[in-house]
Amino acid sequence: MEQSPLVLQARPHSFQPKIVELYQSLFETHPDGAEEADKPEGFWLEFFLLKPDKAKLHRIVADLGPDDLLQLHCQTRSFFSRAVNHISNASAPSDENALDTLTAFLGAALTKRYTNPSSDVISVLTGLNQVDAIFTDFVAGLDWTIKNGRDLPVRLKAIEAALSLTSGAYQTGLLSYLTHRDLFPALMKFVSDSDNSSGAFEAFLLLGLLANYNKFEFQNPYRLRLDDFVNEGTIQHIVRAVRDTCVSTRDRYIEIQDDLPEGWTFTNTMSYIGLGVLTPGSKPIVVAPSPEAAKALFAALPPPECAILLATYDFANANKLFCFNLVCLPAESKNDDAAFSAFLSLTSYLVNHAHRSLRTSLYAYINLLIIRILVEDQVLCKRICTDETKLAVRLCRQRQPYLPLVKGERRGANVVLDIMIDSINKNLRRRLDVDFYKYVFFYTILKEVNQILTDPQTSSLTLSIILRLISFLSRSRTRLSEHPSTPRSRFPSSPPLDRVKR
């Protein structure tokens, strides 16, 4: 009896999915520089029917250099054009697999340092002769899938593919195809149909990137759309997505260093004397990181999700209805934070850690600019300074001098003034952050605040917010009540320069 052919084959050292073998076959480079013939039709049929492995594909493409991808332009062009065809055909599951595969491929291929970014990226993806036809179909397929996809997960994957293209090709001319084809209605329809904030987060982040593309060089259609948008239900979905991002980012700071003083409990007392195991339901003790480890962890924050703050600034700068909902949208439950409360809380943590990196300081600037836009609106400033908007905000107490620990709800103006004064106290050093202290100061504020002599070139963004609030409180004869635990001196004197840390 003859042996089976399967028995004659040597057992491999390790097994890997079939789709990974197809990835390796597709992106295999040849040392002699010879171009490989196009893959047969059966290869592509199997390629888009198998479930993709995004992590493995990203790793394989990331290991290739820019010159290697340019050498593999025949394979990459064939892959991209066939993926666009599957997306346009909208047949399951090949369209969904094509979206996942393109997201991973574009995320790895577009981030490389090409000699000529626009021409090299076009050479890798389509070639100069086919770029108009293929990218027009690609953007049209994304637009249709985001708006009319068969379910929300597929529509979200189309947004992720568009995000991968937008973030990777931001310095190239390929984004002009996304500005010529207006994706705003499709994105807003997806936000309206999404049942959680994660979907709204992806769509709003994409909208923010598109609205900032070459905004000083031509009239960006997405910025015009932000001015005219009045669907309050969709705006509230976006505000909740911003709130969830602020809460999750703030919690990342708290995980590194919990800044709330620990109250006295029986469990804490027993743990202090070494008898914590005798107390029922005792929580395990969390070991705080060392100062060096905490410094490295703080420097890595804020996370990439904070890019939504740029879109928040654009929307707040263009749309007053969005500003109204950002300030007035209440919490969904007692255990949740209101949108404005979460935003102010994150701002407090950002300004406390603005000295750690340029990236953190830039996000702090964005939040301060949003606050200035809010307090410059007379209607919103009135709500912030009165009992109409009372908030319970957790302020940062991770650096000395600490803000007073205030529990309960306060007027929004109290919280904003606390953040502004704390931002000045926490950023005093010999080499001051000039961009933080010497920011643009509007002449309109100077005109309204009488008996205050300030040089516009040396005024700060934080001072402009403080002066705006003080101006409104003075004109409206509004008095802010302080918490009993607040010390009498709210404006501590600045330390001498010889004692200020570098």
Side-chain angles (χ1 to χ4, degrees):
M1 183 177 179
E2 296 182 358
Q3 290 183 336
S4 172
L6 297 178
V7 179
L8 299 177
Q9 293 182 356
R11 182 181 179 86
H13 295 287
S14 61
F15 293 94
Q16 62 181 0
K18 177 66 175 178
I19 188 62
V20 177
E21 295 182 3
L22 298 181
Y23 293 155
Q24 295 174 348
S25 174
L26 178 62
F27 298 106
E28 182 181 3
T29 58
H30 300 279
D32 55 355
E35 295 184 0
E36 186 178 354
D38 193 11
K39 299 292 183 180
E41 194 65 30
F43 174 88
W44 296 111
L45 182 63
E46 187 179 19
F47 188 89
F48 289 106
L49 284 178
L50 295 175
K51 186 177 180 180
D53 189 341
K54 296 172 65 176
K56 188 64 176 179
L57 175 60
H58 188 279
R59 192 179 307 115
I60 292 175
V61 179
D63 291 339
L64 299 173
D67 295 335
D68 296 331
L69 276 180
L70 289 172
Q71 179 185 343
L72 295 172
H73 65 274
C74 293
Q75 293 95 304
T76 55
R77 291 178 186 178
S78 181
F79 155 71
F80 188 79
S81 62
R82 291 175 184 274
V84 170
N85 291 335
H86 282 288
I87 295 173
S88 302
N89 294 333
S91 59
S94 59
D95 59 342
E96 185 175 355
N97 294 338
L99 288 171
D100 283 336
T101 306
L102 274 182
T103 301
F105 173 77
L106 294 175
L110 298 182
T111 55
K112 300 184 181 299
R113 294 183 177 274
Y114 297 98
T115 305
N116 302 301
S118 292
S119 60
D120 288 349
V121 168
I122 292 175
S123 178
V124 169
L125 297 181
T126 61
L128 189 59
N129 295 332
Q130 300 292 329
V131 60
D132 286 337
I134 295 179
F135 260 90
T136 300
D137 295 340
F138 180 42
V139 176
L142 291 178
D143 185 21
W144 188 93
T145 305
I146 295 172
K147 185 185 299 183
N148 304 312
R150 58 179 177 272
D151 52 25
L152 286 176
V154 175
R155 297 165 66 183
L156 181 59
K157 290 182 179 181
I159 294 178
E160 292 174 352
L163 263 175
S164 184
L165 172 65
T166 304
S167 58
Y170 207 75
Q171 303 298 328
T172 68
L174 293 178
L175 287 194
S176 60
Y177 293 96
L178 293 174
T179 57
H180 294 160
R181 177 90 180 205
D182 190 5
L183 298 181
F184 188 87
L187 293 175
M188 292 299 101
K189 186 176 185 299
F190 176 82
V191 171
S192 179
D193 296 341
S194 61
D195 51 358
N196 53 36
S197 61
S198 62
F201 167 81
E202 301 280 352
F204 190 49
L205 179 60
L206 175 60
L207 179 60
L209 292 176
L210 294 176
N212 280 275
Y213 176 69
N214 285 348
K215 62 181 180 180
F216 299 117
E217 299 180 9
F218 74 105
Q219 197 171 24
N220 193 304
Y222 293 98
R223 298 184 68 84
L224 300 178
R225 286 285 198 164
L226 293 177
D227 297 341
D228 304 331
F229 192 69
V230 293
N231 191 326
E232 190 168 7
T234 305
I235 290 177
Q236 290 179 357
H237 278 289
I238 296 175
V239 171
R240 293 188 183 98
V242 175
R243 176 202 62 191
D244 293 344
T245 304
C246 293
V247 171
S248 63
T249 305
R250 179 200 62 189
D251 292 344
R252 296 278 293 273
Y253 283 99
I254 297 174
E255 289 176 1
I256 301 174
Q257 178 184 348
D258 192 356
D259 52 358
L260 282 182
E262 189 174 4
W264 181 91
T265 61
F266 178 73
T267 302
N268 295 340
T269 305
M270 296 295 287
S271 300
Y272 181 77
I273 61 177
L275 299 176
V277 294
L278 301 179
T279 57
S282 59
K283 297 181 180 180
I285 300 177
V286 180
V287 180
S290 62
E292 293 76 12
K295 183 178 180 180
L297 293 173
F298 279 131
L301 295 177
E305 292 79 8
C306 273
I308 197 176
L309 295 176
L310 179 60
T312 305
Y313 166 73
D314 289 325
F315 213 170
N317 194 32
N319 196 300
K320 290 188 176 182
L321 184 59
F322 176 81
C323 295
F324 180 82
N325 282 276
L326 180 62
V327 173
C328 303
L329 187 66
E332 297 178 350
S333 64
K334 294 183 178 180
N335 297 327
D336 296 334
D337 293 333
F340 196 44
S341 174
F343 176 79
L344 291 178
S345 180
L346 176 61
T347 304
S348 174
Y349 282 85
L350 289 177
V351 297
N352 268 262
H353 296 276
H355 66 286
R356 297 190 182 275
S357 65
L358 176 62
R359 184 168 172 270
T360 307
S361 62
L362 290 177
Y363 279 119
Y365 299 157
I366 292 176
N367 278 26
L368 292 177
L369 286 170
I370 295 173
I371 294 176
R372 190 177 70 178
I373 292 172
L374 298 179
V375 299
E376 285 178 350
D377 187 278
Q378 293 293 326
V379 177
L380 293 180
C381 190
K382 178 181 178 181
R383 296 184 69 94
I384 293 174
C385 294
T386 59
D387 292 336
E388 297 181 19
T389 304
K390 300 192 72 173
L391 306 167
V393 182
R394 176 169 180 169
L395 298 178
C396 181
R397 302 179 74 252
Q398 294 178 339
R399 293 179 59 203
Q400 294 182 352
Y402 299 127
L403 285 173
L405 180 62
V406 181
K407 297 181 179 179
E409 296 182 344
R410 295 189 297 164
R411 294 180 183 180
N414 293 71
V415 181
V416 173
L417 288 175
D418 277 346
I419 295 174
M420 297 304 108
I421 297 172
D422 192 44
S423 66
I424 296 175
N425 290 337
K426 297 298 176 58
N427 290 278
L428 288 174
R429 53 185 182 271
R430 189 180 295 265
R431 294 182 179 180
L432 288 178
D433 186 352
V434 179
D435 292 332
F436 191 85
Y437 280 89
K438 297 179 181 179
Y439 212 82
V440 179
F441 191 61
F442 285 127
Y443 179 75
T444 56
I445 299 176
L446 290 172
K447 188 171 60 176
E448 292 184 10
V449 182
N450 298 324
Q451 301 177 356
I452 297 180
L453 300 179
T454 311
D455 184 4
Q457 296 181 353
T458 59
S459 301
S460 67
L461 179 58
T462 53
L463 288 178
S464 68
I465 298 174
I466 294 174
L467 291 177
R468 169 63 73 176
L469 287 176
I470 293 176
S471 173
F472 180 84
L473 293 172
S474 176
R475 286 185 284 105
S476 62
R477 298 181 181 275
T478 304
R479 184 180 181 86
L480 297 179
S481 59
E482 287 293 345
H483 193 272
S485 65
T486 305
R488 188 171 184 179
S489 177
R490 298 302 307 279
F491 299 90
S493 59
S494 301
L497 287 179
D498 57 351
R499 296 184 181 179
V500 178
K501 294 183 179 180
R502 290 180 180 269

